Amino acid sequence: MKLHTKILLSMLLGVGVGLILQATTPEEFIPSSVQLQEGLEFTKDVLDPDSLRARWIAPFAMVAQIFMSLLKMLIVPLILTSIVTGVASLGGGKDFGRLGGKTLIYYMCTSMLAIATGLVAVNLIEPGKGANLGLEIPQNFDKVAGSGFGDILTRMVPSNVFAALSENGAMLQVIIFALIFGFFLARTQAPNGPRLLQFFQDAFEVMMRVAAWVLSLIPYGVFALMVKVVGETGLEPFKDLGLFMLIIFGTLLFHSLVTLPLLLRFLGGINPVRWGKAMSPALMTAFSSSSSSMTLPVSMESAEHRGGVSNRVTSFVLPLGATINMDGTALYECVGVIFLAQYYSAHSAAFDLTLGVQIFVVITALLASVGAAGIPSAGLVLNAIILKSLGLPDDGVLLLLAIDRPLDMLRTGVNVWSDSCGAAIIGKSEGDNILAVEAGAPPGET
Ligand code: ASP
């Protein structure tokens, strides 16, 4: 059986087992405080750990945890070795500038296209106007615009390399260090420069082998993850936010099934269906883990060995993309914040959803998606930050928290899909023979 068929089947099987658990064990949710990053804490109904269902889920949760740890274990060494070798082998000169320029332009454009899609839909349908959210309407809205986003730039530069390397959440810092290190490695003369480059290349080769091994474990990991996710989710919170969810789903699907395939076809001359098939292990991992960072090893393996993108391109484009190119998250920020802003503006004369506010949301949504870590619910936390900087209360985020998992799954899938389309288009423009490996013996296929 082909690997992607196996993964798809195990995903469906996982959903099936999760639904059976939901149907056969009673709902036992208890309020519990959940800590999201950035110090935001909320109270949320979670599955009671002593309940029957939780005890059934426990072994699946354990397998899922081990699988996710395996993926996370690869993140830092893979980013470090891939970017250092990628940049150093580009020689740090003209090639580097050209590839970097193409990558950044692609990332900017696709994120803006995603935001535009969301913006049009949320303004046409106006889901926030009539929504029955039961949120308290404050008397005044005090505007503290701009707060928080100078931070993103400041935080990009690590003050301690080893501290950054020891934290999976500090990907952008690791990338900045690796870019600088690789750039100067290329400028260091023999014997030191080439000798050290050889070391990084060798280490990178080993890491990719480990990634290929983890790839073969995905069907089991994905199965366990889906049982856990479906089993732990109550269906209650989805009622009031149906229209909002529908808009997010619809626009995310539009971006990934229409916009990005058109770019693939017309910019790269690549068949989107075949490219999607080649990248399917990465897409399904993204979907079930809700984390672009965790998916990175799989994306690199798939793009290189199933898609035929050169190592020179993947090792630069994909780690950067997993960190700063999040089309799904950008779209979600925009639609989520405007949805709540519509609600407040419909219920209070003190807040007006003006064109200025919309422009502010578009810009911050783009910045937020660049700054978001590739971990579950990162986009939700940023929603709270944008709402605050608009002077809106952030308790709307609490509502969105309850429904975040399915939305997060899809936006993470879109994030990874956009990175991979970027790798294909840029690879093609650099002369890579995209999808040619499929005809031969694809080394990544197990
Ligand atoms: N979970 C997403 C990702 O890792 C980020 C987000 O929450 O939007 O790509």
Side-chain angles (χ1 to χ4, degrees):
M1 208 191 282
K2 284 256 174 67
L3 181 64
H4 51 255
T5 322
K6 247 200 239 172
I7 301 176
L8 193 64
L9 283 181
S10 58
M11 223 160 105
L12 293 177
L13 203 65
V15 174
V17 173
L19 288 177
I20 291 174
L21 280 174
Q22 283 211 6
T24 52
T25 48
E27 298 255 345
E28 290 176 72
F29 288 91
I30 53 167
S32 162
S33 89
V34 283
Q35 171 93 47
L36 295 175
Q37 19 136 285
E38 309 273 352
L40 285 184
E41 205 176 286
F42 292 110
T43 304
K44 183 193 177 192
D45 286 347
V46 298
L47 194 61
D48 178 357
D50 292 326
S51 67
L52 182 62
R53 193 191 300 176
R55 275 181 280 143
W56 274 106
I57 289 176
F60 297 102
M62 196 181 82
V63 175
Q65 186 65 46
I66 293 175
F67 172 66
M68 289 196 287
S69 296
L70 272 177
L71 287 174
K72 287 188 197 163
M73 170 186 95
L74 297 177
I75 298 173
V76 168
L78 200 60
I79 294 185
L80 187 67
T81 55
S82 72
I83 295 195
V84 169
T85 44
V87 173
S89 56
L90 286 173
K94 259 211 324 268
D95 279 359
F96 176 60
R98 193 189 58 239
L99 197 60
K102 279 185 202 169
T103 309
L104 291 182
I105 290 175
Y106 171 87
Y107 287 165
M108 266 285 278
C109 292
T110 52
S111 297
M112 284 311 287
L113 284 172
I115 293 177
T117 309
L119 194 67
V120 169
V122 76
N123 275 298
L124 284 181
I125 305 174
E126 301 198 304
K129 249 189 173 168
N132 185 11
L133 303 179
L135 292 173
E136 201 181 309
I137 309 292
Q139 295 298 318
N140 294 309
F141 296 88
D142 35 49
K143 200 162 154 63
V144 273
S147 69
F149 284 104
D151 273 15
I152 291 177
L153 278 181
T154 324
R155 265 186 289 147
M156 266 169 48
V157 184
S159 61
N160 181 332
V161 180
F162 292 96
L165 288 174
S166 67
E167 206 191 311
N168 282 337
M171 287 232 313
L172 208 48
Q173 296 196 347
V174 174
I175 290 179
I176 296 291
F177 170 72
L179 286 173
I180 296 174
F181 192 85
F183 186 83
F184 285 100
L185 183 60
R187 284 170 169 58
T188 307
Q189 269 148 12
N192 313 52
R195 193 168 53 198
L196 193 57
L197 178 57
Q198 189 62 51
F199 164 80
F200 275 97
Q201 273 165 349
D202 295 349
F204 176 65
E205 278 311 314
V206 178
M207 289 316 298
M208 286 301 275
R209 281 197 178 266
V210 183
W213 168 66
V214 175
L215 191 72
S216 67
L217 298 177
I218 292 178
Y220 312 100
V222 161
F223 168 70
L225 262 170
M226 292 312 289
V227 175
K228 176 173 155 10
V229 169
V230 175
E232 279 180 351
T233 310
L235 296 175
E236 196 50 25
F238 298 112
K239 281 187 311 219
D240 290 334
L241 292 160
L243 183 58
F244 169 71
M245 290 181 75
L246 220 62
I247 293 177
I248 299 271
F249 279 133
T251 46
L252 284 176
L253 287 178
F254 181 85
H255 186 68
S256 46
L257 299 180
V258 179
T259 310
L260 291 173
L262 283 176
L263 292 180
L264 263 182
R265 164 72 74 203
F266 292 109
L267 287 181
I270 298 159
N271 180 332
V273 176
R274 287 185 62 209
W275 183 248
K277 261 198 188 150
M279 290 307 296
S280 55
L283 299 177
M284 290 188 255
T285 307
F287 187 74
S288 31
S289 71
S290 292
S291 165
S292 329
S293 311
M294 268 190 249
T295 310
L296 178 64
V298 186
S299 322
M300 291 182 71
E301 232 288 324
S302 305
E304 214 173 293
H305 290 137
R306 296 168 58 95
V309 184
S310 66
N311 176 262
R312 203 170 66 94
V313 172
T314 51
S315 63
F316 180 77
V317 172
L318 289 177
L320 205 62
T323 316
I324 67 168
N325 182 45
M326 297 197 181
D327 294 7
T329 304
L331 188 156
Y332 176 78
E333 297 307 317
C334 174
V335 175
V337 171
I338 291 188
F339 167 70
L340 290 171
Q342 283 171 346
Y343 174 81
Y344 286 114
S345 118
H347 288 83
S348 162
F351 178 76
D352 209 7
L353 182 50
T354 56
L355 185 65
V357 172
Q358 301 235 14
I359 293 173
F360 176 80
V361 173
V362 166
I363 296 169
T364 40
L366 182 69
L367 283 174
S369 71
V370 171
I375 56 175
S377 287
L380 191 70
V381 176
L382 285 156
N383 251 343
I385 296 177
I386 302 181
L387 285 170
K388 271 220 187 99
S389 51
L390 279 174
L392 295 172
D394 62 5
D395 36 351
V397 172
L398 185 63
L399 278 178
L400 301 185
L401 173 68
I403 55 158
D404 197 47
R405 186 68 193 208
L407 300 180
D408 196 8
M409 291 163 88
L410 201 63
R411 62 180 191 254
T412 310
V414 175
N415 292 344
V416 169
W417 174 229
S418 169
D419 299 342
S420 83
C421 292
I425 293 170
I426 293 165
K428 184 72 175 245
S429 76
E430 293 281 311
D432 291 350
N433 211 350
I434 307 294
L435 287 171
V437 282
E438 259 195 357
E445 192 88 322
T446 37

